[in-house]
Amino acid sequence: MLDKFLIFSFGGRVIFSHKFDCEIEGEPVNELISNILIEDRTGSVKEYVHENYKMKWQIENEFELVFVVVYQRMLQLFYLDKLLELLQENFLNFAREQINKLDNPNKFALSPSFFSLNKLKLPDFRPHFLQILEQVEEYDKRQKVATKMRTFDKTDKYKNTVTAVKDKDGVGKKNKKKKNKNQNDQDEESDSEESNSESNSPSLTKKKKISKSAKRIKKLQERQKSGGRSPKRNLRRRGRGRGGRGGRGSKSKKKIDEKPQKKIKKPMKWDNTLTKSERRELDQGEKLDQMQMKEISKQNSQKLIGDKKLNLDFSASEGEDDDDYWELSNDEEESIDEEEEEEEKEGFKVNLDSLKKKKKSNETKKKKKGKVANFFKGLKGNKELDEETLEPILEKFRDHLISRNVDSEIAQKISDSVLLGLKGKQIGTFQRVVKIVREKIEEVLIKILTPKRVVNILRDIGISKKKKEPYSIVFVGVNGTGKSTSLAKTCYWLLQNNFTVLIAACDTFRSGAVDQLRVHSNVLGVPLFEWGYGKPPANIAQKAIAHAKSNNIDVVLIDTAGRMQDNELQMRALANLIELNKPNFVAFVGEALVGNIGKDQLIKFNQGISDYSKTNKTQLINGIFLTKFDTIDDKVGAALSMTYSSGIPIVFLGVGQQYVDLKKMDVKMISKTLIKN
Amino acid sequence: MMSTKETLESILSFLPFSLWTNVSILFAGLLVVCLLIYLIIKLFGRMKKSGEPSILIVGSMNTGKSCLFYQLNEGEFVETQRSMREQEATFAIHEKYVKEKDPKAQAKKYHFIDWPGSPSLRLRLSDFYPVTEKIVFVVDGTELDDDTFELFYKLLSAQKLKEKQTPFLVVLNKSDLVDSPDVKPMKKLFNRELAQLNKTYGSTSYTKEQEDETENAITQLLDESEEFLLEKLQNPITFVKSSIKNGQIDDIIDFITN
């Protein structure tokens, strides 16, 4: 079911890889690394899909390893998280063991460079891997089998049907029939037939059963008027129970004997005047305490595994420590049936034992959570970062980012991925945790803000010029963000670089839009292609580009009307314009003043352009112009929100209302501003 | 004969307080001094490490940089995935590649830095310019993209590398593949592409002055009017062909060891 399993280091070295039967198409793991791991988006997603493959991963920060499992996209495998955790632990113990086996174990120590530079050649991990995989898969299968639906005869309902009861009586009936010699052979046959058929096919409808049994009841009654215990009374009761309430059989019997008690609905208490017992009654959750739950789950898991020695405590409840989740304990009580497995298990026993020891030592370590212990640990130089220490610091940073106008969801995602990226990391003696967190956050911010592909518009224009085609740039955005002004600034910039420009006035909606552009074109000395107000913008753009081509103009700048991201009609019109004209560059103009909604605008614009176009491969937004950057002092968070959510690079910043106020984004400066206290 | 208490008192008489406070002050002072010494030693150790002259292995994604790193270290092909982080290590080149039987040459250790190819991780590369002695620029001859030339231009225009006249070695990797190009046509291609980039980084490329960030700023290399040739640049640039996967990296070894 799986396609590939990989263990590789942060630096890129593949430490262990196992390929299952099929060949993998393309490089899904590389895509995972590029899109998720490098950008530290690990906090927001748990699995990644690329073409036909889905991937799940586990990161080990202490030794800088990543464990990845690749499988088919359509499958839904629930045991993978557990498999990854198990493999992670097992692999590290395997490595530790190999070190301990050496003559001088102190020469080597487990560290990131141990794995990435292959200081000690480790033997093949494959047999261990396959064994663990097999066991986890089997456990999963058994879980599924265990919850298979019961057939009808095994339900309680069936037991209370007439046929079931009749089958019981059938035994007695036959005896009685033997006594009475005046038996109708047909009846006997039909009886036996029917009882057989009924026991074989309990899927007969209830009504059929009732009618058949009703007939037989009558016959019985006729036959046994004299004899023994008259089943009449009982049968009648059962018949009533059957017909009336639908199968409550014996239960209804009891109720007929007793007086039916009416259940009066008690009024609900909404204030705080509940007694303890009432509160317990209302509590629909667990009625057992933690210990009992643990017991039950352990029993369940042991029942299902049986002769296998792996005791996986899958069903641990949420409140428990994560340590108990993966208790690989060596249960000596369970007996081994097959001799083949004995040898394998002998080899595996060692691993499990060492695992158990490690578990215990881990548990004892974690018990000493006092501040004093941590202080001395810090002095020793081996302090490990965990959630407790990181969480309060991260909360402060989150609030700080939000105060800098970063979207709250995105601040949360960033802090989640920083937590995952620092968890388990060993820090030195005199290093302050706050400093490390700050450095890591700065690193993450830089990674997010740096574009994945370098955008060099001038170079692209040069290439188009060689092909003798005009390079078209479309400016889109919501109302009032500064599209026309950005267009004018871009025009000025291009003129400085000795390109010829044509402005196309495709904002035919807003009053004064065309006139505004006319003023700019007069000042800059650039031709304006316009067709007045009210005409369809897509056609104007088309004609403008054709005009530019015939007159050998290098660049066409197309201005569009401002529109809301939710307005379907307007988004359709925009998608139509883009599809028809296939511009080289689609620039989304957004303002830096905007809050959390900026991300929403950008995503919906991008989606709208792709959804409402008729073809599959459409031009999406290529870059962002972030305007009004001079109006925000240090609240530069909008830049981060936009880049994070869409992955689209910020091409320019608008820093004023003059033609020269166009600036390239300085990633380092923005990330520093975001962190500065 | 004075008792210990009196001797102590006389020794510590220069301190104004009572005996026991004097002792505690002395003790605290000793502790602070010890701490300072420890800190200084640690800092000194750290500083020394970072100043090591190193060889930088850079390039676009999927060109074979990490592969080269491991070939130099272990002498064999190691399977690699995309790097998420830079790798630094000091080691001597694997004996397989050292031709001379000269023990000195064999034992000489170099500090290699393998930098990931992903553009998102490129910003911090400029931090390593001060320690860079030589640059090995790995290129995949069969899959050239804009990113390769952008990165190359960026490295060439770095102020610190220009000053030191850091030598560049352009490695055309994957020479075992059928469509791998030769050195001469690649040189021409590089000249053409870089010429185009050169135009885009002129003085008028961005209207508003960039106040900060001089390390990552890309400046124009040569005057636009004249033909762009790599020979005109200050840094010596050499082109070689190799197949890192198959261990054909002799030219690279020569570059590193000379």
Side-chain angles (χ1 to χ4, degrees):
Chain A
M1 284 195 278
L2 301 177
D3 281 339
K4 197 172 185 185
F5 174 73
L6 268 185
I7 305 179
F8 58 92
S9 69
F10 281 7
R13 188 208 192 97
V14 170
I15 296 169
F16 173 73
S17 89
H18 184 87
K19 207 167 38 173
F20 294 83
D21 298 325
C22 313
E23 280 292 326
I24 299 258
E25 281 175 21
E27 293 279 342
V29 185
N30 273 341
E31 292 296 319
L32 166 72
I33 296 172
S34 273
N35 294 328
I36 303 284
L37 299 178
I38 283 182
E39 303 214 339
D40 268 307
R41 285 174 192 263
T42 45
S44 43
V45 287
K46 289 294 161 204
E47 55 184 32
Y48 179 68
V49 177
H50 175 73
E51 287 181 11
N52 286 331
Y53 299 105
K54 215 187 251 188
M55 285 161 273
K56 275 202 181 222
W57 65 91
Q58 188 94 349
I59 304 180
E60 169 65 67
N61 285 308
E62 207 179 326
F63 306 112
E64 301 191 352
L65 298 173
V66 184
F67 298 74
V68 177
V69 64
V70 184
Y71 56 105
Q72 290 294 320
R73 182 188 191 159
M74 309 162 279
L75 296 175
Q76 273 213 321
L77 304 169
F78 298 108
Y79 59 84
L80 287 174
D81 288 321
K82 305 156 188 180
L83 175 70
L84 283 171
E85 274 199 50
L86 257 180
L87 284 166
Q88 180 182 333
E89 249 195 70
N90 206 332
F91 181 74
L92 291 175
N93 286 314
F94 172 78
R96 283 198 188 95
E97 239 180 77
Q98 298 304 319
I99 296 179
N100 290 332
K101 274 186 187 170
L102 298 169
D103 297 328
N104 49 345
N106 295 324
K107 193 176 171 192
F108 299 103
L110 269 193
S111 63
S113 54
F114 175 82
F115 291 107
S116 64
L117 294 175
N118 205 27
K119 290 200 171 150
L120 177 66
K121 197 135 192 187
L122 296 171
D124 209 0
F125 182 64
R126 211 166 305 263
H128 297 275
F129 164 70
L130 290 171
Q131 195 168 17
I132 296 180
L133 179 65
E134 197 189 305
Q135 285 170 334
V136 175
E137 279 183 341
E138 264 221 46
Y139 179 75
D140 188 59
K141 264 188 215 167
R142 282 192 181 171
Q143 284 269 32
K144 286 183 185 165
V145 167
T147 56
K148 195 176 167 186
M149 265 176 67
R150 299 173 289 181
T151 54
F152 188 63
D153 350 6
K154 294 183 186 162
T155 58
D156 290 330
K157 225 187 215 184
Y158 177 68
K159 286 182 199 161
N160 298 321
T161 58
V162 188
T163 44
V165 174
K166 290 212 74 265
D167 279 342
K168 272 192 219 164
D169 279 2
V171 177
K173 244 197 293 174
K174 279 179 185 166
N175 289 336
K176 286 170 186 167
K177 283 171 194 169
K178 279 179 186 169
K179 283 184 186 173
N180 301 338
K181 287 179 186 175
N182 305 335
Q183 288 284 322
N184 198 341
D185 287 332
Q186 279 181 355
D187 276 353
E188 221 183 87
E189 278 170 45
S190 62
D191 275 343
S192 52
E193 263 176 28
E194 277 183 357
S195 61
N196 279 340
S197 64
E198 265 160 23
S199 58
N200 285 341
S201 54
S203 53
L204 282 173
T205 57
K206 290 177 195 171
K207 285 184 183 171
K208 264 192 182 175
K209 281 183 190 166
I210 294 170
S211 55
K212 280 186 188 170
S213 51
K215 283 183 195 169
R216 271 203 255 148
I217 288 164
K218 279 186 183 170
K219 283 183 190 170
L220 264 175
Q221 286 171 0
E222 287 164 17
R223 263 184 247 141
Q224 293 157 3
K225 266 183 186 174
S226 53
R229 178 168 158 264
S230 152
K232 193 180 177 184
R233 196 162 158 242
N234 292 341
L235 287 168
R236 210 195 300 147
R237 279 232 187 92
R238 280 188 208 109
R240 216 206 273 175
R242 236 29 216 87
R245 289 169 213 133
R248 246 172 276 146
S250 50
K251 281 187 190 169
S252 57
K253 190 176 169 185
K254 282 184 193 166
K255 280 187 180 168
I256 290 166
D257 286 332
E258 302 159 354
K259 265 191 183 175
Q261 279 182 352
K262 264 192 176 181
K263 220 179 180 185
I264 311 169
K265 189 173 177 186
K266 291 186 194 159
M268 189 79 169
K269 280 192 184 173
W270 293 110
D271 49 13
N272 291 333
T273 59
L274 287 169
T275 58
K276 240 188 180 175
S277 58
E278 283 174 348
R279 217 177 289 159
R280 222 179 292 148
E281 253 183 57
L282 284 174
D283 183 10
Q284 308 284 354
E286 339 175 321
K287 295 260 164 84
L288 307 157
D289 63 10
Q290 294 286 343
M291 282 306 294
Q292 286 177 320
M293 287 290 282
K294 225 176 167 176
E295 284 289 320
I296 292 175
S297 66
K298 268 196 180 155
Q299 281 170 19
N300 283 340
S301 50
Q302 280 178 5
K303 261 190 239 167
L304 294 165
I305 291 174
D307 55 343
K308 290 279 180 178
K309 282 210 164 187
L310 199 64
N311 188 2
L312 302 167
D313 208 350
F314 276 62
S315 47
S317 54
E318 278 175 51
E320 289 176 50
D321 215 359
D322 275 356
D323 278 353
D324 301 326
Y325 223 88
W326 297 112
E327 249 176 44
L328 285 167
S329 58
N330 213 349
D331 274 318
E332 283 140 30
E333 299 155 8
E334 297 169 70
S335 58
I336 313 166
D337 287 328
E338 299 150 32
E339 281 186 16
E340 300 167 41
E341 292 180 15
E342 252 192 74
E343 282 178 25
E344 268 184 71
K345 278 171 189 168
E346 285 287 307
F348 202 54
K349 252 190 202 176
V350 185
N351 269 344
L352 291 172
D353 276 341
S354 63
L355 256 174
K356 211 180 176 187
K357 280 182 199 164
K358 198 227 171 186
K359 273 282 160 204
K360 283 185 183 164
S361 63
N362 257 355
E363 283 170 27
T364 49
K365 255 190 194 174
K366 288 203 172 175
K367 279 177 189 168
K368 294 179 192 168
K369 273 176 183 170
K371 276 189 182 175
V372 181
N374 255 352
F375 175 70
F376 280 114
K377 254 196 200 169
L379 279 185
K380 201 169 60 170
N382 255 347
K383 191 170 169 192
E384 197 180 285
L385 291 173
D386 60 349
E387 220 173 295
E388 269 191 31
T389 40
L390 290 172
E391 191 48 50
I393 303 173
L394 281 175
E395 206 181 305
K396 278 192 191 161
F397 270 109
R398 253 205 314 271
D399 292 334
H400 183 74
L401 283 176
I402 292 176
S403 77
R404 293 270 191 267
N405 202 22
V406 178
D407 194 290
S408 54
E409 256 181 53
I410 287 172
Q412 178 68 43
K413 283 185 189 171
I414 291 177
S415 85
D416 283 340
S417 30
V418 169
L419 181 69
L420 283 171
L422 287 178
K423 213 176 188 177
K425 194 169 177 183
Q426 303 271 359
I427 56 168
T429 326
F430 284 101
Q431 286 178 299
R432 283 173 61 226
V433 186
V434 181
K435 194 180 172 196
I436 293 182
V437 175
R438 172 174 291 155
E439 276 173 14
K440 177 81 184 175
I441 291 188
E442 199 177 330
E443 205 184 288
V444 170
L445 292 177
I446 288 179
K447 275 193 247 177
I448 295 172
L449 290 169
T450 314
K452 270 192 263 190
R453 267 177 38 240
V454 183
V455 179
N456 194 344
I457 299 182
L458 293 172
R459 207 254 325 259
D460 295 337
I461 298 177
I463 295 176
S464 288
K465 198 170 174 179
K466 277 192 181 169
K467 288 189 209 163
K468 307 229 165 137
E469 291 205 3
Y471 188 89
S472 45
I473 306 178
V474 182
F475 290 83
V476 304
V478 300
N479 314 66
T481 49
K483 289 182 289 300
S484 306
T485 316
S486 298
L487 186 146
K489 288 180 191 172
T490 313
C491 184
Y492 182 76
W493 169 60
L494 291 169
L495 289 172
Q496 295 283 81
N497 282 293
N498 302 320
F499 288 116
T500 48
V501 184
L502 172 72
I503 301 180
C506 295
D507 182 355
T508 55
F509 176 70
R510 198 191 86 203
S511 34
V514 180
D515 300 294
Q516 182 183 9
L517 288 176
R518 192 173 294 131
V519 172
H520 281 304
S521 81
N522 285 337
V523 170
L524 294 167
V526 154
L528 172 71
F529 192 96
E530 54 104 349
W531 218 3
Y533 293 91
K535 303 289 194 303
N539 296 350
I540 301 178
Q542 201 175 31
K543 291 195 195 268
I545 294 175
H547 177 86
K549 188 163 184 183
S550 58
N551 291 10
N552 287 328
I553 299 178
D554 301 325
V555 190
V556 181
L557 298 175
I558 303 171
D559 188 21
T560 60
R563 61 203 73 213
M564 291 307 289
Q565 67 271 23
D566 296 324
N567 191 324
E568 195 191 308
L569 207 63
Q570 290 174 342
M571 292 310 293
R572 268 186 204 277
L574 182 63
N576 186 29
L577 187 147
I578 290 175
E579 203 188 332
L580 189 63
N581 297 303
K582 297 192 178 38
N584 301 82
F585 195 92
V586 179
F588 176 83
V589 183
E591 43 185 25
L593 296 163
V594 80
N596 289 351
I597 210 168
K599 169 190 89 170
D600 189 59
Q601 285 174 1
L602 182 56
I603 293 178
K604 289 215 175 131
F605 257 82
N606 221 4
Q607 221 167 31
I609 295 174
S610 82
D611 285 347
Y612 298 130
S613 72
K614 290 161 202 157
T615 56
N616 261 345
K617 284 190 177 177
T618 39
Q619 180 91 16
L620 293 174
I621 298 177
N622 299 97
I624 303 175
F625 269 60
L626 203 57
T627 57
K628 308 180 192 172
F629 212 72
D630 51 324
T631 57
I632 51 170
D633 297 318
D634 50 0
K635 297 201 189 318
V636 296
L640 185 69
S641 309
M642 288 189 170
T643 335
Y644 187 90
S645 52
S646 60
I648 302 173
I650 295 183
V651 179
F652 277 125
L653 300 175
V655 288
Q657 301 191 36
Q658 307 294 323
Y659 286 126
V660 295
D661 292 326
L662 196 64
K663 202 169 150 183
K664 194 175 68 163
M665 185 169 83
D666 186 348
V667 174
K668 255 191 178 169
M669 188 198 74
I670 291 190
S671 60
K672 282 212 163 83
T673 317
L674 278 170
I675 297 215
K676 201 163 57 174
N677 273 334
Chain B
M1 286 219 310
M2 292 189 282
S3 71
T4 44
K5 196 174 177 186
E6 283 167 354
T7 44
L8 265 173
E9 263 183 10
S10 56
I11 292 168
L12 297 172
S13 53
F14 64 94
L15 288 166
F17 310 108
S18 72
L19 177 64
W20 292 117
T21 38
N22 286 345
V23 171
S24 52
I25 289 171
L26 195 68
F27 193 65
L30 279 171
L31 210 70
V32 169
V33 169
C34 285
L35 225 80
L36 278 170
I37 294 172
Y38 179 79
L39 276 172
I40 289 170
I41 292 173
K42 237 200 166 181
L43 271 171
F44 186 68
R46 216 180 284 164
M47 266 169 59
K48 198 180 176 190
K49 228 185 185 180
S50 63
E52 225 171 310
S54 24
I55 298 173
L56 201 58
I57 306 175
V58 286
S60 299
M61 291 195 282
N62 204 29
T63 48
K65 303 178 290 299
S66 299
C67 199
L68 176 63
F69 185 78
Y70 290 117
Q71 275 283 14
L72 291 169
N73 192 8
E74 292 164 42
E76 58 178 15
F77 171 69
V78 172
E79 201 185 324
T80 54
Q81 292 286 147
R82 197 159 284 177
S83 307
M84 283 162 49
R85 188 175 288 191
E86 70 275 13
Q87 285 199 89
E88 293 185 58
T90 314
F91 51 83
I93 300 176
H94 197 264
E95 52 195 16
K96 189 171 159 189
Y97 299 114
V98 181
K99 294 175 212 161
E100 300 135 27
K101 301 291 177 178
D102 184 12
K104 269 191 189 174
Q106 277 187 345
K108 183 163 185 195
K109 289 194 176 179
Y110 298 93
H111 186 77
F112 292 95
I113 303 178
D114 168 30
W115 198 266
S118 178
S120 318
L121 300 168
R122 218 166 266 171
L123 211 73
R124 278 182 48 232
L125 181 58
S126 50
D127 296 342
F128 287 82
Y129 290 163
V131 295
T132 306
E133 203 183 19
K134 294 181 187 169
I135 291 189
V136 176
F137 190 84
V138 189
V139 170
D140 182 354
T142 58
E143 268 189 55
L144 281 171
D145 57 349
D146 305 331
D147 188 51
T148 313
F149 301 111
E150 290 273 356
L151 175 61
F152 196 59
Y153 197 94
K154 182 180 169 178
L155 287 169
L156 286 172
S157 67
Q159 206 51 29
K160 295 207 169 113
L161 296 177
K162 269 203 244 178
E163 286 167 13
K164 291 196 288 182
Q165 298 193 356
T166 319
F168 279 68
L169 178 73
V170 179
V171 177
L172 304 175
N173 195 17
K174 308 198 185 177
S175 62
D176 48 299
L177 294 178
V178 175
D179 48 346
S180 160
D182 283 326
V183 169
K184 262 197 176 171
M186 280 304 286
K187 259 192 178 170
K188 282 190 186 168
L189 181 66
F190 261 77
N191 276 328
R192 265 208 319 269
E193 291 287 334
L194 291 174
Q196 212 163 43
L197 280 177
N198 194 39
K199 280 190 215 162
T200 70
Y201 288 112
S203 55
T204 52
S205 63
Y206 291 102
T207 46
K208 194 83 180 182
E209 275 165 30
Q210 302 290 131
E211 292 114 21
D212 28 32
E213 248 233 29
T214 47
E215 302 152 343
N216 276 310
I218 305 177
T219 51
Q220 200 170 41
L221 288 173
L222 295 172
D223 202 345
E224 273 178 48
S225 51
E226 44 182 74
E227 193 193 346
F228 190 96
L229 289 171
L230 288 169
E231 288 83 21
K232 292 186 188 172
L233 297 168
Q234 290 172 320
N235 308 67
I237 301 174
T238 353
F239 279 71
V240 292
K241 257 187 109 164
S242 81
S243 171
I244 297 175
K245 183 172 164 185
N246 297 338
Q248 295 162 9
I249 55 173
D250 299 324
D251 298 320
I252 306 177
I253 306 284
D254 286 337
F255 176 77
I256 295 172
T257 49
N258 292 341

